[in-house]
Structures are given as C-alpha cells and as structure tokens.
Amino acid sequence: MRAAELEMPALAITDRGGVYGAVRHLQACRKLGVKPIIGSSLEVDGDELILIARNLRGYSNLCRLLSLAHADQPKGEARSTLATVAEHRGDLFYLSATDLETRLHDLQDALGKENVFSEVHHHLRPEDQWVLEGRAAMARRCGAPLVATNQVHYHIAARRKLHDVLVAIRHRATLDQARPHLFSNSEHHLKGSAEMRLLFQGHEEALVTPWEIAQECGVDLDFRKVRFPGYPVPKGETPFSFLYKLCFEGLRERYHPITSAVTRRLQHELEVIEKTGLAEFFLINWDLMRFAREHGVPGQGRGSAADSIVAYVLGITRVDPIEHNLLFERFLHDEMTSTPDIDIDFSTEHREQVIQYVYEKYGWERTGMVCNVVTFQPRMAIRQLGKALGFSDELLDRLAKGVDRWFTEDVEDSMTGAVPPPDMRPQSWQQFLELCREVIDFPRHLSIHNGGMLVTGEPLVDIAPVEPATMEGRRVVQFNKDDVEDLGLIKMDMLGLRTLSVVAEALELIQDTTGVRPDLDKLTLDDPAVYEMCGEADTIGVFQIESRAQMQTLPRTRPKTFNDLVVEVAIIRPGPIQGNAVHPYIRRKQGRETVTYAHPLLEPILKDTLGVILYQEQIIEIAMHVAGMKPGRADGFRRAMTRHLNRVEMSSLEDEFIGGCLANGVPREVADQLFAAVQGFAVYGFCRSHAAAFARTSYETAWMKLHHPVEFGCGLLNNQPMGFYHPSVLVEDLKRHGLKALPVDINRSDVRCLPERLPSPLAGEGQGGDAGLAMRIGFNYVRDLGEDGRKAIVEERNLRGPFRSFNDFLGRLRGGPIGPRAVRNMVMVGAFDALGRPRRELVWGWQERWHGKGLRRGIDKQAELGLGATSPALPLVDAFDANQLEYRISDLSTGHHLIHFCRDRLRQKGALESNRLPAIASGKQVRVAGLVITRQAPSTAKKIRFFTLEDEFGQVNVTIKPEVYDRYRQVANRQPILIIDGVMQRQDGVYSVLASHIEALHGVPRPAQRSHDYR
C-alpha cells in the first residue's frame, strides 16, 4: 500500500533466510498495480547477501539454496558459504553492501560479474556520504553496477519502535543490550523518488538500476501443473479408469439396493472429476484411508468432502450424501480451478503412522509439513515486550497473569487490577501499551500446521524452501495453508482427532468386557434412547454437543432424528448465532412459530431447517434453483458474498441475483428480501456436510455413553487433554449415573484406566450393559510416575505376581524407572491401602529424604531405609485428606466431590444445592455455589461471560454481564470455588442464574484442578 502511494513501479521482498511472505507479497502487489519482485536475504560467510529471482528457474535455485542454508542451523537461522551459493547460481541477481574490494571480486568470480551489484544506502548518518562515495568508487574499479536499495525494514518511520523491540526480542535482550544490532535512526523506510534523488545526488545510475533489475524479473508462482506426485495405478489403467473401477466396487458395498438416483449422482461426480483432472487427488486420499483401515488406524473424512458420493463409496467419508441431501457443488464443480479440501481426521494416537506412510510412499524430497505462522498474543506480547523494555520479571508476571484470558478489550483495560499505580509505573509505560497494541497478531515464528502435509510432483525444494522442524524427522515448508492453496498445490489435511482415539479404545474395551466389538458403521442412527439422552442434555463427554451452549439448547430442540442432530451440531456456532438463525429455528422446532417459506421454490431447499437458512449449501441451492445460476457460478456467488465488497461489486451481485429470481417468476419484493437474507447469512453459514460428518461421531459417542458408559469413560480419561471438561468432571458424571470409580491400586490398576468387574453385592446400578462394571483409575493418573514407570509396575506384576507389601514393591523394582516422588505420590494417593499399612506410616521412613539427596536417587537407595523402625502415632488419612490428596496427585476424586466437604459452610451462607434449583421459579433471587469447571467468553456474546459451577449433585450455569464481571473480575478469574448471587432465569425447561454478586469461599484448600476456559 505504501509503495503504491509513493508511485513505485516495483517492490521487492527479501525476508531474512526465506521467502515467507512471497505469496502474500505477490497478491498484494498485483492488486495495487505494483510489480512484485521475490528475493531473500542470506548470511554468506558472515556477510549479508541479497538474492533476487529473475524467473521461475531462479526462484527454484533460491529455494534449494535456502533449504540447504537452514539444514544444519538452529531453528529459525540460515547460513551458507559462497561455494554453496555458487553451486546454485543461475537466473539470480546478487546484491552486496560490502566495502571490501576483495569480497566484491570474489562474488563476481563465483557468481558471474554480470549478476553481482554493489548495494548502496544513505540514512542521513554523518558517515553515510563518504561511505557512499567510497563504495561507488570501488564498484567502478570492479565494474559492478550500483543499486540503491536503502536497506528498507519498515514501510514508514513510525514503525521503527516496533522494529527495534522485535530485534531485541529476537536476540533475547533488552533494548539497551540489543543496541549494537539496532539502526541509529528511523531512515530505513520506503522513500519516494524525489527524496531518493536528493540522497543520491551524483549517483543517479544507482536509482535507475533497481528498475532495470525489476524489468529483468518475472516470477509467477503457479504450480498447478506439478501439483500431483503421480499415483501409481495397475498396468493398463489410467488414474481416472482406476478411480472409476474403485467407485463402482465401493458402490456395490455401500448401497443395497443400488438405485438410479445413486448411479446418476455417481456418474455426474465422476464426469466433473474427469473434467477437472482430479482423479489422482481422490486416489491419493483413498490410498490414505486404505492404509489406515489395513493398519487399524481410526480415520474419517469431514468438511465439504462429505458432500461427495465418490468420497463416500471410496470409504473416505462415512456420511451418505444421498440420504442426507448433501450438495456436491459445495465441494466441487466443473468450473473450479482450485483443489477441493478433503480433511481427514485420524486418531491422535495413531496419526503419526499415516504421516510416515506418506513420507515413505512419495519420498522425503516431495513431502513436507505446511507451516503455521504463530503470532503475538496478549500474554506473550506483555512478557516479551516488557522484557525488551527492561521491566522487572515480577511486574511482567503480574501483568501477564492479570490479562483477561479472553482478551476482548483493549490491552490496558484487560490488565485492570494488575497495573501498578501511576507513580510506580516504569517510565516507558505508555510506550509499552502502544507497542502491545501494535504487536498483537504480528508474526513471531513458524510452527508445524496441525495436519497439513504438502505432496508435490516435483522436488519440494524447487517449489518452496524447507526448514528442519523442532520435532525430529519433520521438515516444515515456509508457506502456510493459504499460501499453498494460492500456489495451486495439493495439501493433504491429516488432522488428529482425540475423539477417534477415544472411540477406538472404547471399542476395544467393549470387546474385552462383552466379547463383541460393535460395528459403528452398522449403527442405524435411530435409537430413541440416544435421542432421549441428548434431549435431556446428558451429554458430558459426547463429541460436539457437550458444551454449555449445546446443553442449554438440546432440551429446547429435543432432537428425534439424525437430521435434528446435524442441525444441533451446526447451529451453535458463531455464524448461525450472528446470523440470527438460532431462535427462529428453536421456535419453529417447538411449534411456537409457523414454518413458512417466502416462495414455493425455497421449500425443498429449506425444509430440513424449518425455513431457516443455516447451511452454506443452502445459499448455493438458492442461487441455483431460485436465481437460476449454474453450479460453478452459484458457488462463486457464495464465495463472493463472504468477502468485503465495495458498493459497485455488491450492486453487480445483487442485480445478477434479482434478475435471475425475476426470470424464475419470483416477485421483486420477495427477491429483495431473499437477497438481503442471503447477504446477511453468507458470511456466517456453516457447511452442512461438515456438520453431518461430526453429527455421526456425536451419535456414536452418545450411543457408547448410553450403552457402555464405563468403557467410554475409560476412553475419555485415557486420552486427555481433550473435550470441554476436566477429567474430574468426567468422573463425577460417571458417579452421578450410579457407576463407581475405583482408586489407584498397586495390584489392580493398569497403565491406563480400565473397566473392572465388581463382586455382585458391590455392583453399580449403572445403565445399559455396564451394570456390575466400575472404572479403575490407572497409573496414568499418578503424578510424576511417567510412562516407563507405569509399564514397569504392570510388567513386574504380570511376571512375578501381585505385590505383597510396600517393601516387596520397592525390592522388586529396585533400579527401575520410578523415582522417589512417584513412589511417594502412589503411597499418598492410596495405591498401597489394600496391603493394610496406613499411608503416613509407609511414608514415615522417607521423611528425612524428601528434601535431600534421596529425591535425586533411585528406588534402590530408598529401599535401604527399610521400615522396621516403629513409627510414632500418626493420624490416619481421613476422607477429607484423601479427597485433597487425590485432587492434588490425580486431578480427580473417586470419593466425595470437593464441595461435599464445604456443604455445611455453604448452607450457613445460604447457598443452595444444584439439585434444588429446578424447583426455583424464574425471576427469584437465588444464591448458588460450586467449583468453577468452565469459564467462557464467546466472541459473539458481546463481552458476556458464562461460567459453570459444579457441586456434589450436579452443575449450574451462570451468566455474567460485563458490568458485573468488571466489578468482580479478579475473584471470578482466580478463585476456584465461587458463591454467586443472582436471579433465576428459566426458558423451555432450561435454567441459569444471572449473576449480580460474586465472592470466593475462603478458608477452603485450593484444589489442584483448574477450570477449562474458552473463547
């Protein structure tokens, strides 16, 4: 933008050690009519060298060189030698600011005299003029053209402050310490031609050379022709013929009977795939799923791919697009030039197997992980900017922790309560605040995208530089997912979904306890008991419908069919909420509002959502069937409506839409209303196929929670962190369903939590097939034990039988991987209770070594202490102590809920139990209390906060308006147990408390668990 304002005909980007911003630079320049030049700055033999790509071949040489420069350097750093640079010469220009004539000669000899330029600057420093004259004279002697670049690092002078602070952060130093690395003034910014002519009087040729270089350069980064690695197909087959064969084989497996509607849809999709040349793309994804199935890796496609019957019959997705009325054109149409997305979720536990398979199949030279650009966020910004400005660690810690974790306001306001008084603030306080505001969302470093993998038809290093990732054996491409898409490359999204790990483990446990492994693909999705459970909001742990907002909506919508569940997954999203679709749908679902359609053409499109526009696919269908657009144009219309358009562009879209409606006999008034509705919702629409794919997993996890709660609960606990709730909440939910959670036991617990059959008199009154089963907490919930320690205990027990005593345990695991802290934690959490010795008596022999050398030695040394000496009379661990120890060591309680021990005090304070709240009338004043298990501040809620409190009987939702939250911010955010006064709010059988006063329950030990806080 600044270059265009200065009427610059061309602009180069030369990121240090990479081409990170090249794609966005190309797009921005083209949009503004400025010619884009791509290059990079690289440290060569200790000196900076600027490399400029003349064409695509030069760009490929640059990418290869940068990849080598990063290969053996620390993360984020790149260095090379002149010999290596020379090996990758060709179609590159080289700019050097050296003042050494021998260095300039060396560059010319190695890189070609015609390619090397002497770079000159003038930043109004006292020495700049004579440096310029000296360098110009040297360049003349060497025959090197002068090029004036001015060493630009920011677009305007005002950005110098941010630049200096970022340099200090990069060097992990304060501004004072980083001074040798900083520029002496603010002159390193873009300057117009008039200003540059004044600076370089007598050296006008140096101002002409940049344009001459620019005219030589022309790099168009479009790699669509090399995007496929070439999928190997059987002899005599083409990629399309092989795909055609696989589809009809899958069709016979998936559909019984095969109808004409199904075959027409499949034939249509295959024709589009052939026309767009995407057969290899589908084969690559089919191959991934084939590998996953053969190796027992749970996986399933989601997103718009679920709109495709080809993806369904190939086994990539699990939702029937015919049965659920999914629109293929949302996924792919014959006018599409970009590659469609196929997002595949794999079990987090097993995803690495699939990634390694891709590396092995296509080769390391053609594969790499897409990068993710990590940006500065409030707490990181405060800590790192404050450190650069010399603030004390104590102040920065207080400020960072004082920031509202949701950060929906100005940085200064968000630190209320942590900001020191004016007379105690550092001198640079105002500058600190301004820099914090400026740096938010500014790029900080690269990380690996959570699932995007690039596979290319040509060596990857010819297309994009790659860097070693922190994770061993991984390489990261310098482009993010948006850059990759703009380049026309294939990105395979292999995402890790912990819920699939939960499902896989739960199925194994169900087979262990019942002898039968459920086949989830054969579930009929019509179990009334599952929908009844969902309608009661009994969905803690259920995928996608366990949040506070979902649990408040479910009793109002009462889903009865799978389509209702699809709507439920889609509707509690920022889009439908902002698009005002939630309340009209709920009123119509409850029969309190008549289902109407503005025109008969809309009924088949909006019937499933009761006349409310909810899905992106519906916008495309309206454009096609009401406004008469072709599929490709309809999808283009939807995409265009999601962008920020100027008045002329929006007017053109409106004319096209209205004209099409009128041609289809839609009255002008209705057409205007419809365009307004589509315009308002297009930005916020949710993809129906994505909702359907997720809804299937929602149903399956609800079915397992209902019929196999113990196995499902074990799966949840064994795959933390995940979901909406802390593990302790999951255990409390299990107990409220009449099932037992059994504590860690040295002879009964396993590495992970497992179901355990109870003797008949102790059998729980659980639901479904789990009567008589309990959940035994595993060693994975003993702090400091570690994976090796857990396995060592179980392996020793399996090999030589149960442990007979504490000393027997110590003796048998002497020299093993279990440290003293882990043993102490096992004792205090009750793992040895069944062996008959009190916990404190067992620990007595360790007392002298808790804070000494013994903590740094192995079990074998501790065993030498023995337990022969008689311990003094020690108090037994009572129920309260046991509860606190379990929370502290295992983050959960198999016994009483923490609030059980506070109940007498809460009754004295007038706080009601959660199970008494359903009887309280709406509008009544009420006092509630509990452990905070979630805090939420959705971006759509206009700064309203939503807290969930839990006591021994259940949960209560609390709504906190901004003015109340501001008054009690510190207490609400930092205290674990809250007492809240407010007004009861009831609607359609759902209740919550509107808070007016918040206080902490003091004098209660702080629990180790933390709430889960969300935006």
Side-chain angles (χ1 to χ4, degrees):
M1 186 71 77
R2 180 60 177 160
E5 290 173 358
L6 294 172
E7 298 182 346
M8 290 183 174
L11 183 69
I13 184 171
T14 56
D15 287 331
R16 180 184 286 107
V19 291
Y20 306 100
V23 177
R24 280 158 287 172
H25 177 69
L26 283 170
Q27 293 171 333
C29 284
R30 287 167 181 164
K31 187 175 181 179
L32 295 168
V34 176
K35 183 173 183 176
I37 310 298
I38 295 176
S40 181
S41 165
L42 181 62
E43 183 183 322
V44 178
D45 295 331
D47 294 327
E48 181 183 65
L49 185 68
I50 303 296
L51 300 91
I52 302 290
R54 296 178 61 182
N55 49 37
L56 195 57
R57 179 172 173 267
Y59 170 80
S60 293
N61 285 333
L62 177 61
C63 289
R64 281 184 172 271
L65 177 60
L66 291 171
S67 299
L68 288 172
H70 277 282
D72 58 352
Q73 296 297 318
K75 179 177 170 59
E77 298 181 22
R79 294 177 181 85
S80 188
T81 63
L82 183 56
T84 304
V85 174
E87 289 174 8
H88 295 84
R89 58 177 288 187
D91 293 300
L92 287 166
F93 292 123
Y94 306 91
L95 283 60
S96 172
T98 183
D99 291 312
L100 298 175
E101 194 164 334
T102 55
R103 176 64 175 174
L104 189 57
H105 275 304
D106 289 343
L107 291 171
Q108 290 177 318
D109 292 341
L111 306 174
K113 190 172 182 179
E114 70 283 4
N115 299 320
V116 177
F117 297 78
S118 181
E119 183 184 357
V120 292
H121 322 130
H122 199 310
H123 300 115
L124 300 178
R125 296 175 302 180
E127 68 274 18
D128 279 0
Q129 189 61 41
W130 64 261
V131 170
L132 170 60
E133 297 299 338
R135 197 172 295 170
M138 178 191 70
R140 281 193 296 272
R141 290 193 299 273
C142 295
L146 282 183
V147 55
T149 67
N150 224 36
Q151 202 180 17
V152 173
H153 280 72
Y154 31 86
H155 66 295
I156 56 175
R159 294 283 271 189
R160 180 201 172 185
K161 292 179 181 178
L162 179 60
H163 170 268
D164 287 358
V165 168
L166 292 174
V167 170
I169 290 172
R170 187 171 77 245
H171 289 279
R172 295 179 173 84
T174 65
L175 281 172
D176 287 338
Q177 294 167 339
R179 201 157 298 283
H181 305 287
L182 303 179
F183 300 130
S184 58
N185 59 30
S186 304
E187 294 299 314
H188 292 256
H189 62 89
L190 288 172
K191 296 177 181 179
S193 57
E195 194 173 358
M196 291 290 281
R197 279 195 295 270
L198 288 173
L199 292 173
F200 292 94
Q201 289 182 23
H203 300 284
E204 285 74 14
E205 74 279 8
L207 298 175
V208 175
T209 308
W211 176 237
E212 292 175 345
I213 292 175
Q215 288 179 305
E216 288 282 325
C217 296
V219 179
D220 184 17
L221 299 185
D222 186 345
F223 296 103
R224 285 177 174 80
K225 293 182 181 178
V226 297
R227 57 182 172 173
F228 293 120
Y231 185 81
V233 297
K235 187 175 181 180
E237 299 274 13
T238 65
F240 180 75
S241 70
F242 187 52
L243 175 68
Y244 195 94
K245 176 184 176 183
L246 291 174
C247 285
F248 278 91
E249 288 175 357
L251 187 72
R252 286 189 288 272
E253 293 178 11
R254 291 281 196 177
Y255 288 97
H256 304 282
I258 298 175
T259 65
S260 58
V262 168
T263 55
R264 278 198 306 272
R265 171 71 173 262
L266 180 58
Q267 189 63 40
H268 167 66
E269 290 194 17
L270 286 169
E271 289 171 2
V272 173
I273 291 169
E274 184 176 30
K275 185 174 181 179
T276 52
L278 291 171
E280 278 189 77
F281 176 65
F282 282 88
L283 289 175
I284 290 169
N285 284 280
W286 164 79
D287 183 56
L288 285 184
M289 292 304 297
R290 176 200 58 77
F291 172 85
R293 281 191 296 273
E294 289 177 1
H295 291 80
V297 177
Q300 60 187 38
R302 61 172 168 91
S304 60
D307 284 317
S308 168
I309 194 173
V310 168
Y312 180 61
V313 298
L314 289 177
I316 297 170
T317 59
R318 299 178 60 227
V319 177
D320 183 351
I322 304 294
E323 181 180 351
H324 301 296
N325 193 29
L326 303 179
L327 183 69
F328 176 62
E329 285 73 18
R330 169 62 181 85
F331 172 61
L332 180 64
H333 51 78
D334 53 15
E335 296 175 31
M336 184 178 285
T337 56
S338 60
T339 305
D341 280 335
I342 295 184
D343 297 336
I344 304 179
D345 290 321
F346 291 106
S347 158
T348 305
E349 197 82 3
H350 307 86
R351 183 176 69 123
E352 186 62 26
Q353 295 179 42
V354 185
I355 290 174
Q356 292 303 320
Y357 171 70
V358 174
Y359 278 129
E360 292 168 10
K361 186 175 183 73
Y362 300 105
W364 284 84
E365 73 279 3
R366 296 171 188 266
T367 51
M369 301 301 292
V370 176
C371 83
N372 183 45
V373 180
V374 177
T375 59
F376 280 94
Q377 294 305 307
R379 292 188 177 183
M380 180 191 292
I382 286 170
R383 289 186 186 279
Q384 299 204 333
L385 267 68
K387 184 174 181 180
L389 292 174
F391 289 13
S392 69
D393 290 341
E394 181 186 2
L395 174 59
L396 291 177
D397 189 58
R398 189 165 73 249
L399 291 175
K401 290 180 178 178
V403 166
D404 188 324
R405 67 198 70 202
W406 301 290
F407 199 67
T408 57
E409 54 210 341
D410 181 78
V411 64
E412 185 175 16
D413 295 335
S414 75
M415 292 189 295
T416 301
V419 175
D423 59 335
M424 296 182 66
R425 295 174 188 172
Q427 289 184 342
S428 53
W429 179 257
Q430 202 56 43
Q431 182 184 9
F432 166 70
L433 293 178
E434 292 170 1
L435 287 169
C436 281
R437 296 184 186 108
E438 200 171 351
V439 82
I440 297 300
D441 292 329
F442 195 89
R444 186 186 181 279
H445 66 271
L446 292 190
S447 69
I448 298 180
H449 184 270
N450 61 2
M453 196 169 190
L454 198 57
V455 180
T456 56
E458 290 186 358
L460 185 56
V461 291
D462 287 340
I463 293 171
V466 295
E467 304 177 14
T470 305
M471 183 183 296
E472 188 175 351
R474 293 285 179 86
R475 300 192 306 167
V476 185
V477 180
Q478 288 186 352
F479 295 140
N480 68 13
K481 63 182 182 65
D482 296 325
D483 296 336
V484 166
E485 182 179 341
D486 291 334
L487 293 174
L489 295 170
I490 292 294
K491 175 173 67 73
M492 300 161 62
D493 285 311
M494 296 174 288
L495 307 169
L497 185 62
R498 287 191 182 274
T499 297
L500 294 183
S501 301
V502 172
V503 170
E505 183 164 0
L507 290 175
E508 293 287 342
L509 295 176
I510 293 168
Q511 184 172 17
D512 291 344
T513 56
T514 67
V516 179
R517 182 187 178 91
D519 186 346
L520 297 184
D521 285 331
K522 293 183 179 179
L523 285 184
T524 56
L525 308 182
D526 60 359
D527 186 340
V530 170
Y531 293 110
E532 179 63 26
M533 185 183 80
C534 292
E536 294 294 329
D538 184 9
T539 56
I540 289 177
V542 177
F543 183 62
Q544 288 288 305
I545 57 171
E546 65 170 344
S547 72
R548 179 208 60 83
Q550 289 282 10
M551 292 173 71
Q552 293 247 299
T553 305
L554 284 164
R556 302 175 65 192
T557 59
R558 290 280 173 181
K560 301 293 183 186
T561 66
F562 183 72
N563 179 66
D564 292 344
L565 206 55
V566 175
V567 173
E568 188 66 34
V569 168
I571 205 166
I572 304 300
R573 305 278 174 177
I577 292 170
Q578 288 184 286
N580 196 31
V582 177
H583 296 298
Y585 174 81
I586 291 176
R587 289 194 297 269
R588 295 181 178 196
K589 186 74 167 63
Q590 293 174 336
R592 294 191 291 136
E593 182 179 299
T594 304
V595 177
T596 58
Y597 305 94
H599 191 274
L601 289 174
L602 292 170
E603 183 169 355
I605 299 170
L606 303 180
K607 184 177 180 180
D608 287 345
T609 54
L610 308 181
V612 176
I613 299 176
L614 182 60
Y615 304 122
Q616 293 173 356
E617 288 91 335
Q618 290 173 324
I619 295 171
I620 297 174
E621 288 183 289
I622 290 170
M624 288 169 57
H625 302 301
V626 182
M629 297 181 190
K630 291 183 178 180
R633 179 59 197 137
D635 185 47
F637 172 80
R638 178 194 66 81
R639 292 172 184 270
M641 295 289 280
T642 65
R643 304 190 190 106
H644 295 290
L645 303 177
N646 60 40
R647 189 173 300 175
V648 174
E649 291 171 326
M650 185 58 74
S651 178
S652 175
L653 279 178
E654 183 175 7
D655 291 343
E656 180 184 6
F657 183 87
I658 298 295
C661 289
L662 295 177
N664 271 343
V666 178
R668 177 62 191 243
E669 182 182 0
V670 174
D672 287 337
Q673 292 174 357
L674 194 53
F675 181 80
V678 169
Q679 181 181 4
F681 190 73
V683 178
Y684 307 117
F686 195 72
C687 181
R688 179 173 188 159
S689 55
H690 188 69
F694 273 1
R696 169 125 201 159
T697 306
S698 299
Y699 182 91
E700 291 167 353
T701 51
W703 181 86
M704 284 193 285
K705 177 182 170 73
L706 176 66
H707 296 291
H708 302 280
V710 172
E711 296 92 332
F712 181 60
C714 289
L716 286 171
L717 285 186
N718 290 337
N719 287 280
Q720 294 295 313
M722 62 163 290
F724 206 76
Y725 299 102
H726 189 274
S728 65
V729 179
L730 302 175
V731 172
E732 294 301 327
D733 180 66
L734 190 82
K735 291 190 289 187
R736 280 194 291 272
H737 284 80
L739 295 159
K740 291 184 179 295
L742 304 175
V744 176
D745 186 286
I746 194 63
N747 284 322
R748 290 185 174 274
S749 290
D750 210 297
V751 172
R752 297 158 77 85
C753 302
L754 291 178
E756 182 174 312
R757 186 71 62 184
L758 291 172
S760 295
L762 298 176
E765 299 175 359
Q767 67 224 59
D770 279 4
L773 283 181
M775 175 196 290
R776 174 68 71 177
I777 301 301
F779 293 127
N780 52 337
Y781 278 86
V782 177
R783 196 179 302 279
D784 297 325
L785 185 52
E787 184 70 19
D788 291 341
R790 298 168 207 150
K791 290 180 178 178
I793 294 172
V794 175
E795 288 170 3
E796 172 63 25
R797 199 176 63 202
N798 291 339
L799 183 66
R800 298 174 57 192
F803 298 103
R804 297 181 298 278
S805 68
F806 182 55
N807 265 352
D808 179 43
F809 168 80
L810 294 176
R812 287 163 61 177
L813 287 169
R814 179 174 299 160
I818 304 173
R821 284 189 179 87
V823 175
R824 184 185 62 193
N825 285 341
M826 284 199 296
V827 172
M828 296 311 292
V829 84
F832 296 94
D833 283 1
L835 299 181
R837 299 283 295 278
R839 300 182 196 181
R840 290 191 171 109
E841 184 179 318
L842 291 180
V843 171
W844 175 256
W846 292 48
Q847 189 73 19
E848 294 301 321
R849 294 194 173 224
W850 275 9
H851 304 292
K853 295 180 180 179
L855 283 178
R856 297 189 293 273
R857 295 177 181 171
I859 273 184
D860 54 330
K861 300 297 182 186
Q862 297 297 324
E864 293 171 9
L865 292 172
L867 294 170
T870 304
S871 65
L874 299 171
L876 296 175
V877 172
D878 61 17
F880 178 77
D881 290 337
N883 175 271
Q884 291 292 284
L885 287 166
E886 251 194 316
Y887 269 119
R888 189 177 305 135
I889 296 169
S890 296
D891 282 333
L892 50 80
S893 170
T894 56
H896 291 296
H897 192 284
L898 176 67
I899 299 300
H900 167 82
F901 300 99
C902 310
R903 181 52 60 194
D904 289 342
R905 290 188 58 198
L906 291 175
R907 285 198 183 107
Q908 292 171 6
K909 289 180 172 289
L912 297 178
E913 296 90 337
S914 61
N915 60 357
R916 293 176 58 188
L917 297 177
I920 306 297
S922 186
K924 294 288 186 181
Q925 286 286 331
V926 66
R927 170 170 280 198
V928 297
L931 187 66
V932 184
I933 60 172
T934 62
R935 296 176 172 93
Q936 274 186 288
S939 58
T940 56
K942 299 177 181 178
K943 297 189 178 182
I944 295 175
R945 266 69 176 176
F946 302 97
F947 283 28
T948 301
L949 307 184
E950 183 181 66
D951 65 11
E952 66 271 50
F953 302 107
Q955 298 168 1
V956 55
N957 291 308
V958 179
T959 303
I960 309 174
K961 289 190 173 181
E963 60 272 17
V964 177
Y965 175 76
D966 288 340
R967 197 180 313 141
Y968 302 107
R969 177 200 301 263
Q970 296 302 316
V971 172
N973 278 352
R974 298 186 177 188
Q975 297 300 323
I977 301 175
L978 298 179
I979 301 172
I980 299 179
D981 295 317
V983 176
M984 177 62 72
Q985 295 183 311
R986 308 187 69 88
Q987 185 178 17
D988 304 326
V990 177
Y991 64 88
S992 63
V993 174
L994 180 62
S996 58
H997 174 82
I998 304 173
E999 64 182 79
L1001 180 65
H1002 294 291
V1004 177
R1006 186 185 181 93
Q1009 86 162 86
R1010 297 180 180 177
S1011 69
H1012 279 199
D1013 303 343
Y1014 302 92
R1015 295 188 68 169

